[in-house]
């Protein structure tokens, strides 16, 4: 079945460092891909999404490009801030089915 | 516009008891989905309700049930609680049913601890 694999955390970076969180997927067809963020004590928020190959989703300085050839949707940000500390989830949705989630990657940014 | 609200935020129960969690979606949203989040299993889909009808169901035992009322508010019930039911239960609402381009908006969750 369909699945999403994320890099294990925690990922610890210094402020202003470059961020990459890897996400790869296994799916038949052409799923939509998502990144959600969960700040401490809060629910999940949609960060960005891409619905077809080569689409680039972006929001709040974060970017991810839907790469069908490598079945990847890596999350990147050029300069992270302490406020970016959170858990990041990669997810896919195939057609009319529910979201399928990765395990989540905890990001810790040190000042 | 108020976001998704979940009550209670924290709950402690003992094995064998039952529990009911409540979710109030964003005004105008008709779809409510429930997820269980645990450190070991991550996020797992429980079920989705749209216009008072269950549309999708995840792979959970029958001890987990839910319902949706005419005002779109939803409740989920877990009977005969087990230690493994300890988790963060998240509710998400959207304008229409899953599978569309509608974004899901999540509540803060209910933290259930089973002793």
């Amino acid at each position: 079945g369909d699945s999403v694999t994320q890099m294990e955390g925690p990922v610890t970076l210094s402020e202003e460092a470059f961020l990459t969180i890897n996400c790869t997927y296994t799916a038949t067809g052409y799923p939509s891909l998502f990144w959600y963020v969960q700040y401490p004590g809060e629910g999940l928020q949609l960060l960005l999404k891409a619905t077809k190959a080569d689409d680039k989703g972006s929001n709040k300085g974060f970017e991810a490009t839907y790469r069908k050839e490598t079945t990847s949707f890596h999350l990147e940000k050029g300069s992270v801030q302490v406020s970016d500390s959170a858990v990041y989830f990669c997810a896919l949705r195939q057609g009319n089915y529910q979201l399928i989630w990765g395990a989540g990657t905890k990001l810790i940014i040190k000042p | 516009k108020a976001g998704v609200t979940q009550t209670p935020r924290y709950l402690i129960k003992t094995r064998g008891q039952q529990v009911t969690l409540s979710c109030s979606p964003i005004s105008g949203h008709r779809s409510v989905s429930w997820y269980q989040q645990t450190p070991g299993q991550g996020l797992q889909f429980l079920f989705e309700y749209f216009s008072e009808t269950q549309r999708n169901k995840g792979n959970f035992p029958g001890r987990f049930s839910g319902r949706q009322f005419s005002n779109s508010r939803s409740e989920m019930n877990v009977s005969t609680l087990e230690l493994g039911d300890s988790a963060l239960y998240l509710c998400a609402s959207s304008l229409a049913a899953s599978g569309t381009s509608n974004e899901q908006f999540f509540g803060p969750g209910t933290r259930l601890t089973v002793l």
Side-chain angles (χ1 to χ4, degrees):
Chain A
D2 295 351
S3 65
V4 175
T5 303
Q6 288 181 238
M7 64 189 292
E8 285 191 29
V11 173
T12 303
L13 296 171
S14 297
E15 208 166 17
E16 299 183 3
F18 184 87
L19 168 71
T20 300
I21 299 178
N22 291 336
C23 171
T24 57
Y25 67 90
T26 302
T28 56
Y30 304 93
S32 295
L33 301 174
F34 305 82
W35 276 102
Y36 280 81
V37 58
Q38 186 175 32
Y39 297 103
E42 298 183 15
L44 293 153
Q45 300 175 29
L46 178 63
L47 183 59
L48 53 83
K49 68 179 181 183
T51 57
K52 61 183 187 296
D54 299 325
D55 267 1
K56 177 186 282 188
S58 61
N59 186 23
K60 299 180 181 179
F62 290 90
E63 293 183 340
T65 301
Y66 189 149
R67 302 283 189 203
K68 187 162 176 59
E69 64 275 14
T70 54
T71 61
S72 65
F73 193 54
H74 304 322
L75 183 68
E76 296 181 335
K77 186 175 184 182
S79 177
V80 292
Q81 306 300 313
V82 172
S83 58
D84 293 326
S85 297
V87 181
Y88 293 81
F89 292 89
C90 185
L92 72 81
R93 185 171 62 210
Q94 189 86 273
N96 291 328
Y97 297 98
Q98 282 292 329
L99 287 162
I100 295 172
W101 300 86
T105 302
K106 184 173 185 178
L107 176 64
I108 300 169
I109 306 300
K110 296 189 173 181
Chain B
K1 198 180 229 186
V4 178
T5 58
Q6 293 187 244
T7 56
R9 290 292 311 276
Y10 302 92
L11 206 49
I12 299 175
K13 292 285 188 180
T14 56
R15 280 180 297 175
Q17 287 187 308
Q18 75 165 22
V19 66
T20 299
L21 312 181
S22 179
C23 171
S24 293
I26 291 171
S27 178
H29 284 195
R30 296 169 63 191
S31 173
V32 173
S33 296
W34 288 90
Y35 297 87
Q36 183 195 64
Q37 185 179 19
T38 59
Q41 299 296 319
L43 273 156
Q44 296 185 88
F45 169 68
L46 280 155
F47 27 65
E48 180 204 4
Y49 287 87
F50 179 74
S51 294
E52 302 178 64
T53 300
Q54 187 180 87
R55 282 178 49 90
N56 289 301
K57 189 176 190 304
N59 190 25
F60 277 81
R63 300 185 297 106
F64 291 81
S65 63
R67 59 178 175 169
Q68 186 179 33
F69 302 95
S70 58
N71 62 357
S72 295
R73 189 177 70 86
S74 177
E75 290 181 346
M76 66 162 281
N77 185 77
V78 187
S79 62
T80 320
L81 284 166
E82 301 177 359
L83 294 178
D85 298 332
S86 295
L88 181 68
Y89 290 88
L90 292 165
C91 165
S93 78
S94 60
L95 274 171
S98 65
T100 69
S101 61
N102 289 282
E103 178 183 346
Q104 287 190 326
F105 294 83
F106 283 80
T110 294
R111 173 75 62 185
L112 171 64
T113 302
V114 182
L115 302 176

